[in-house]
Amino acid sequence: MATTVRRQRPRKLACWVLMAVLLADLLALSDTLAVMSVDLGSESMKVAIVKPGVPMEIVLNKESRRKTPVTVTLKENERFFGDSAAAMAIKNPKATLRYFQHLLGKQADNPHVALYRARFPEHELNFDPQRQTVYFQISPQLRFSPEEVLGMVLNYSRSLAEDFAEQPIKDAVITVPAFFNQAERRAVLQAAQMAGLKVLQLINDNTATALSYGVFRRKDINTTAQNIMFYDMGSGSTVCTIVTYQTVKTKEAGMQPQLQIRGVGFDRTLGGLEMELRLREHLAGLFNEQRKGQRAKDVRENPRAMAKLLREANRLKTVLSANADHMAQIEGLMDDVDFKAKVTRVEFEELCADLFERVPGPVQQALQSAEMSLDEIEQVILVGGATRVPKVQEVLLKAVGKEELGKNINADEAAAMGAVYQAAALSKAFKVKPFVVRDAVVYPILVEFTREVEDEPGVRSLKHNKRVLFSRMGPYPQRKVITFNRYSHDFNFHINYGDLGFLGPEDLRVFGSQNLTTVKLKGVGESFKKYPDYESKGIKAHFNLDESGVLSLDRVESVFETLVEDSPEEESTLTKLGNTISSLFGGSTTPDTKENATDAVQEEEESPAEGSKDEPGEQAELKEEAEPPVEDTSQIPPPEPKEDTPEGEKPPEKESGDKSEAQKPVVYRALVTRFGFQ
């Protein structure tokens, strides 16, 4: 009997070992469920995480602070980030990089590049002939592009999140300014790719703030529309947003709250940094005045001294927001000479008088884009650190005509919390309450092409056509299809920005090129020769503006149609033969772009586009694959096609259904030149 017991012990031990291994696998699986968000500001960033048992928590950095300076110090054998790098800015200003986000996606001749050189002359910016952009020359051996520096910062933010969560993290939602164009958004995606992050979405920081506000006030949202204005003045820029909150009916979850971006206005250079630079210049003048007659050098020629003055100007601006005057003092500013001077709030306001005059500008832009009046705005809420300046609040309050300004939101962390909520919603590991988000296109996008037309018998001329793909303040993500009806040979078309008349002359110069790319199609003529007996239904180009606001051209295909002889019992039907000319476009698009796109597709006719004065039958047909309000999880089943779909043009879902052998589409190959967006 004892022998039998001894034989069973190894089996019991093996069972326990197996259970321990399975339990360890489950624990390891649960350790990869965390997601993060990065609210990437000009001066500082806030990182937040969500993991099982920790809902929406702001990450503390190594100094136990809730926000981290976006600063990098680069040396030959070491790098410093955050507060450590900010401390190094005094000792080694040339190797310490700050506010480099202003250079993302900018060509060398952009006014913002010249502005950066003027603000920070200690940095050596050189021209990159291959990319037509600039890079930082730290030393003869060290050179980094702005995207590479941002990639280092994002990698550091991930390390902070992983240390706080005590597990690896790779999925992230990153905030970007609402005024970022296609080049700037792709630059951020490229930086995130270098950091090894899987970007679930680039969310506009104003949208993230609005989402955070709505999530914590879900019970106050009902079927009655509420219009809220968010005025966000940060360190580098100012954005004003009008958001409408109300409950809407969704197919999957019934009545759910929704936020819709109705209007956006912005000023790219109005922010706390410009105020600090004005103060720095004032302090430099005072120091030079104190040393006048001593044959001393100009303090502006000393990078270390100017770095000290900028740090003191930052502190002074904060103190003057709560006090009428303050004493600026720096020990050993230059040549072991101490600096001490009294600065009043009145002097500060006089230095920044022209900046305060620009405060109402974004408000008017937002109202114009939303086609609303101030009477329709229920509340104006302040966001961003620079809104704490009393003069900013005074001018803004007068501009909006309200009794008071709303301060019932965390001005520093709202965007980070909204972004991490969106990250949890997009992640498959978490289930959150649905909150429908309808963002808006800031810059319209259109397609331009030229073709020959016959004005009179025997007389042919070239005609330029424009078709709006994504209109200003239209919702996204969404898909569009444009059909070229009158081409039977290879041709080109251009993807450009639309009417940017709402931008001022200076903003247009900062914006850069209005051409996104030129698409060259080859193999069109061959497809027509291959099927001479079929009726052409045009060449269809499928565009996608994804959740990150990044445009891609999914595919271009030629469609043919013919009558098929059926059995006597059945009526004759129409079938389409698809010619896939292209399946891969967008050179710098990351693989995540396609994964994040929702599959809900609905075709409908669009109203006549701008500049379309073609005679009947010659218009380029524009169709929309519009996405209805979707939940943050983006797991939406395809809706049923509309009944008013034009005859003979069934939705794509129907084309691939059960058909007879004779009706199945014939797919053949053709060549195309690949292209990438600038």
Side-chain angles (χ1 to χ4, degrees), residues 159-179:
S159 68
L160 292 178
E162 290 180 341
D163 291 343
F164 191 81
E166 298 179 342
Q167 59 179 272
I169 299 177
K170 67 174 182 177
D171 295 343
V173 169
I174 303 174
T175 69
V176 294
F179 53 76

Side-chain angles (χ1 to χ4, degrees), residues 8-25:
Q8 289 179 348
R9 282 176 182 171
R11 296 178 183 176
K12 290 183 179 180
L13 181 61
C15 291
W16 281 110
V17 170
L18 180 60
M19 291 177 64
V21 171
L22 292 175
L23 182 60
D25 291 341

Side-chain angles (χ1 to χ4, degrees), residues 565-580:
E565 295 294 336
D566 290 337
S567 58
E569 297 85 7
E570 299 179 0
E571 298 179 0
S572 297
T573 59
L574 293 175
T575 184
K576 295 179 181 179
L577 299 178
N579 168 29
T580 303

